[in-house]
């Protein structure tokens, strides 16, 4: 490589988060280089669940149809007691707010292969396997370019590539986290669990969802992943061995509530253990996610226990939140402060999800004393209250907190629509039935239920955003009802489909676009964008 090689973006780590970030950047016209120490997809399963918001992100990178063919919708989550009696049930719809099943089970290597195939189809994306990153450095003031030093397999020679931005998608042991001086904040959950992936043709007692066994002496998780694929997770002492005749007998006892097995000696008949491994489930949050033009995403920035299936989802949200902002800065010269909103928006969101997972974890494993039994009883009673079950099912991913790109109007007790996602119904445009995001594509968008006023049109023009009237979408009424509940005539959608601002019913204008205008104003427009000033004051 040339000593002066430079890329707009270098991504460290080509797992699902890194590849998704590369594909999203490509859709915004930003080339990227991925550096990955493995030469191929890691062949064993790890992540096994995504929600409908993550499915929408996969739609955004163009693999939704292929993923649907290999994913299995799940009915929801059940909390069971030690005798496998239902404490609480959190159902999940087959058609969520984002237009997909609220919970989908899958095999991570299958997803990674789909993402790699999509990567190969994009000329903006470049992947180098067999590369170990050694260091990342930038000037003390955090300005670009950033120097990435790496070595290829079998070589002791350092090579370098410079980047306008570096994304650290290199997992829990992140080199990039150390490079920016970030440290973990401990959110007080750490347990050793055994994860067992199985393929079996034997009858398995399952409800097509996820079971969490709330038992202080033997907590467990069970889920069906595919036609003949299942996963169990058990909290076991480190010295428990599940190999050999004694270990196999122990495993037979562990899975007995779900599947009947003969003696361990005849397991080869219809019951195959694909993998068993020991994991330490942790709850942690990096104290900083950015230094200059170096960013943390995914497990490099946050670790969550797996009890609500949000680990991979959180990383995909990171990629979706950051990439459009980075593209606007790199391609259109938007204010550098736009990049500050990444951590400001994502960190509280990640903290909420981790704490929810920890709460479920403590309901499962929180001790063996009388107080623990009382806590589990309280959890069960609370989950049976009207509305609690549906609220928990709906709010795994809360609205973003108010900030420069989430406009909250003064005097409102509730945020309204800002910070929430626009729903994604099926729409019909020019005789073609499709999902809403396929119409909106990757830009800002003004979605309106009323004829746009000159002020609304000026805002849309300044952001190069299409103005879309609900009457032209021919959906099932979802969007009109959503706007009506939010008391809005129109909404301004960000490229990630979060509502940035609203036109209150009857007002005809955004209350104060100057709140976000300075961050989004483009000083150096892309070849296909026009430098139109954003409105900076309330329309009369």
């Amino acid at each position: 490589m040339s000593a002066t090689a430079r890329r707009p973006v270098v991504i460290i780590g080509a797992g699902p988060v890194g590849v998704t970030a590369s594909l999203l950047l490509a859709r915004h016209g930003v080339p990227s280089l991925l550096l990955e120490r493995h030469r191929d997809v890691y062949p064993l399963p790890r992540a096994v669940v995504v929600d409908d918001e993550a499915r929408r992100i996969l739609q955004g990178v163009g693999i939704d149809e292929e993923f649907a063919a290999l994913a299995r919708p799940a009915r929801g989550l059940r909390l069971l007691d030690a005798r496998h009696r239902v404490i609480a049930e959190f159902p999940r719809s087959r058609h969520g707010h984002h237009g997909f099943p609220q919970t989908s089970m899958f095999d991570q290597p299958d997803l990674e292969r789909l993402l790699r195939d999509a990567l190969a189809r994009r000329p903006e994306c470049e992947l180098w396997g067999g590369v170990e990153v050694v260091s990342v450095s930038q000037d003390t003031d955090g300005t670009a370019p950033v120097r990435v030093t790496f070595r290829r397999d079998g070589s002791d020679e350092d090579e370098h590539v410079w980047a306008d931005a570096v994304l650290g998608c290199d997992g829990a042991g992140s080199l990039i986290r150390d490079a920016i001086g970030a440290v973990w904040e401990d959110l007080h959950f750490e347990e050793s669990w055994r994860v067992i992936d199985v393929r079996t043709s034997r009858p398995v007692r399952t409800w097509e969802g996820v079971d969490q066994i709330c038992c202080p002496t033997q907590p467990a998780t069970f889920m069906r992943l595919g036609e003949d694929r299942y996963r169990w997770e058990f909290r076991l002492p480190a010295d428990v061995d599940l190999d050999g005749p004694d270990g196999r007998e122990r495993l037979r006892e562990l899975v007995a509530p779900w599947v009947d097995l003969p003696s361990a000696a005849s397991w080869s008949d219809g019951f195959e253990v694909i993998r068993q491994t020991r994991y330490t489930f942790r709850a942690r949050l990096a104290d900083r996610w950015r230094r200059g033009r170096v960013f943390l995403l995914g497990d490099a920035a946050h670790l969550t226990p797996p009890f609500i299936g949000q680990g991979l989802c959180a990383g995909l949200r990171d990629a979706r939140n950051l990439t459009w902002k980075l593209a606007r800065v790199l391609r259109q010269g938007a204010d550098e402060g736009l990049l500050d909103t990444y951590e400001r928006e994502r960190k509280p969101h990640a903290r909420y999800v981790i704490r929810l997972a920890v709460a479920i974890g403590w309901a499962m494993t929180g001790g063996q004393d009388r107080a623990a039994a009382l806590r589990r009883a309280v959890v069960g009673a609370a989950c049976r209250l009207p509305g609690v079950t549906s609220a928990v099912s709906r709010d795994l991913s809360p609205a973003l907190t108010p900030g420069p790109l989430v406009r909250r109007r003064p005097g409102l007790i509730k945020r309204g629509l800002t910070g929430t996602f626009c729903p994604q119904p099926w729409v019909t445009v020019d005789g073609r039935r499709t999902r809403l995001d396929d119409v909106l594509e990757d830009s800002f968008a003004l979605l309106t239920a009323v004829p746009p006023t000159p002020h609304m049109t000026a805002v849309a023009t300044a952001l190069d955003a299409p103005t879309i009237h609900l009457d032209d979408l021919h959906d099932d009424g979802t969007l009109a009802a959503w706007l009506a509940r939010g008391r809005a005539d129109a909404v301004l959608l960000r490229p990630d489909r979060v509502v940035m601002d609203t036109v209150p019913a009857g007002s005809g204008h955004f209350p104060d676009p100057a709140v976000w205008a300075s961050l989004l104003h483009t000083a150096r427009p892309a070849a296909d964008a026009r430098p139109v000033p954003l409105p900076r004051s309330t329309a009369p």
Side-chain angles (χ1 to χ4, degrees):
M1 175 192 290
S2 166
T4 59
R6 184 163 175 171
R7 299 290 191 280
V9 178
V10 170
I11 301 172
I12 315 299
V17 174
V19 176
T20 297
S22 180
L23 291 168
L24 290 170
L25 286 168
R27 289 186 63 112
H28 290 286
V30 178
S32 62
L33 168 65
L34 290 117
L35 303 180
E36 168 59 47
R37 60 193 180 95
H38 298 293
R39 290 194 174 274
D40 201 358
V41 169
Y42 187 71
L44 295 178
R46 287 153 290 156
V48 293
V49 59
V50 290
D51 61 14
D52 54 327
E53 184 182 338
R55 287 284 300 267
R56 190 173 186 175
I57 296 170
L58 296 180
Q59 174 195 351
V61 299
I63 65 167
D64 54 308
E65 293 183 7
E66 295 95 330
F67 184 76
L70 59 86
R72 186 182 193 89
R75 289 175 56 186
L77 168 69
R78 295 191 309 188
L79 302 184
L80 309 180
D81 66 14
R83 297 170 61 184
H84 286 232
R85 297 173 299 186
V86 176
I87 300 172
E89 182 174 321
F90 306 109
R92 305 295 275 164
S93 169
R94 293 180 70 94
H95 188 86
H97 185 79
H98 298 275
F100 294 97
Q102 285 185 296
T103 301
S104 298
M105 315 302 295
F106 68 100
D107 189 24
Q108 182 170 335
D110 291 341
L111 170 60
E112 291 200 42
R113 291 186 189 99
L114 292 180
L115 289 168
R116 292 282 185 98
D117 290 344
L119 197 74
R121 295 191 293 267
R122 299 295 309 218
E124 305 93 339
C125 304
E126 194 175 359
L127 170 62
W128 293 354
V131 170
E132 186 79 26
V133 174
V134 177
S135 66
V136 171
S137 59
Q138 59 186 328
D139 291 341
T140 55
D141 62 357
T143 58
V146 183
R147 188 175 78 163
V148 179
T149 303
F150 63 93
R151 294 174 185 166
R152 301 180 191 270
D153 276 352
S155 173
D156 294 329
E157 182 182 351
D158 286 351
E159 299 183 61
H160 310 285
V161 61
W162 277 259
D164 295 316
V166 169
L167 309 188
C169 305
D170 52 340
S174 172
L175 170 80
I176 310 306
R177 187 177 58 250
D178 293 339
I180 69 170
V183 296
W184 285 126
E185 175 190 352
D186 188 354
L187 298 182
H188 308 298
F189 189 94
E190 183 169 326
E191 293 187 344
S192 179
W193 283 61
R194 200 72 55 87
V195 177
I196 303 158
D197 288 293
V198 167
R199 178 178 288 110
T200 182
S201 57
R202 293 181 174 277
V204 179
R205 293 177 285 276
T206 176
W207 77 297
E208 300 298 333
V210 178
D211 284 342
Q212 305 279 21
I213 312 305
C214 301
C215 172
T217 57
Q218 190 59 81
T221 301
F222 166 74
M223 64 198 79
R224 183 176 187 175
L225 304 182
E227 242 359 92
D228 61 351
R229 287 281 314 283
Y230 302 87
R231 170 172 287 188
W232 282 271
E233 298 170 355
F234 299 100
R235 189 182 68 181
L236 297 173
D239 59 354
V240 171
D241 187 359
L242 298 181
D243 292 319
D246 291 342
R248 289 161 70 88
E249 180 61 27
R250 172 65 170 142
L251 181 54
R252 187 182 71 83
E253 295 170 356
L254 288 170
V255 302
W258 296 275
V259 58
D260 296 321
L261 294 176
S263 65
S266 57
W267 268 23
S268 58
D269 181 19
F271 192 86
E272 175 192 1
V273 177
I274 301 172
R275 179 191 71 149
Q276 60 155 310
T277 190
R278 194 176 289 121
Y279 276 109
T280 300
F281 296 159
R282 295 185 173 96
R284 292 181 175 179
L285 197 64
D287 67 337
R288 62 186 304 170
W289 292 24
R290 174 194 179 196
R291 182 185 176 195
R293 287 287 187 85
V294 181
F295 303 85
L296 302 180
L297 295 82
D299 286 354
H302 42 73
L303 296 175
T304 179
F307 305 120
I308 57 173
Q310 287 291 299
L312 176 57
C313 299
L316 296 179
R317 290 189 193 104
D318 296 342
R320 181 68 158 164
N321 185 287
L322 176 60
T323 50
W324 74 264
K325 300 170 182 177
L326 187 57
R328 195 165 184 91
V329 171
L330 295 181
R331 294 193 73 235
Q332 297 178 254
D335 191 285
E336 191 83 8
L338 180 60
L339 301 177
D340 292 333
T341 66
Y342 165 59
E343 180 177 341
R344 179 170 178 170
E345 291 181 348
R346 286 292 305 131
K347 191 173 182 180
H349 194 283
R351 185 185 297 275
Y352 171 92
V353 170
I354 293 170
R355 284 179 169 167
L356 183 58
V358 168
I360 295 294
W362 278 115
M364 294 173 63
T365 67
Q368 303 181 40
D369 55 9
R370 292 181 180 179
L374 178 61
R375 286 194 295 273
R376 286 190 292 278
V378 170
V379 169
C383 290
R384 286 188 284 271
L385 291 174
V388 170
T389 296
S390 60
V392 172
S393 299
R394 183 180 62 249
D395 292 333
L396 286 179
S397 179
L400 297 182
T401 54
L405 300 181
V406 176
R407 177 74 175 115
R408 183 174 181 176
R409 298 198 303 277
L412 285 185
I413 298 176
K414 295 184 178 181
R415 181 183 300 107
L417 299 181
T418 56
T420 69
F421 278 92
C422 173
Q424 184 181 208
W426 287 92
V427 299
T428 301
V429 178
D430 297 331
R432 182 174 64 96
R433 188 170 183 264
T434 187
R435 297 183 187 273
L436 176 63
D437 285 2
D438 294 332
V439 176
L440 302 179
E441 297 183 335
D442 300 300
S443 63
F444 286 87
L446 177 66
L447 194 64
T448 178
V450 300
T453 64
H455 171 84
M456 293 160 60
T457 300
V459 168
T461 300
L463 292 173
D464 209 28
T467 298
I468 300 174
H469 198 286
L470 297 192
D471 290 346
D472 297 328
L473 293 174
H474 307 288
D475 72 326
D476 59 1
T478 294
L479 294 171
W482 173 68
L483 285 177
R485 286 194 302 272
R487 299 180 181 179
D489 282 341
V491 292
L492 184 60
L493 302 180
R494 307 180 342 180
D496 56 6
R497 301 302 150 236
V498 170
V499 177
M500 185 165 75
D501 208 345
T502 64
V503 174
S507 72
H509 61 268
F510 294 99
D512 187 6
V515 171
W516 37 262
S518 60
L519 287 182
L520 297 174
H521 178 72
T522 56
R524 189 182 65 255
D528 56 351
R530 292 167 294 167
V532 181
L534 287 162
R536 292 177 179 270
S537 60
T538 303

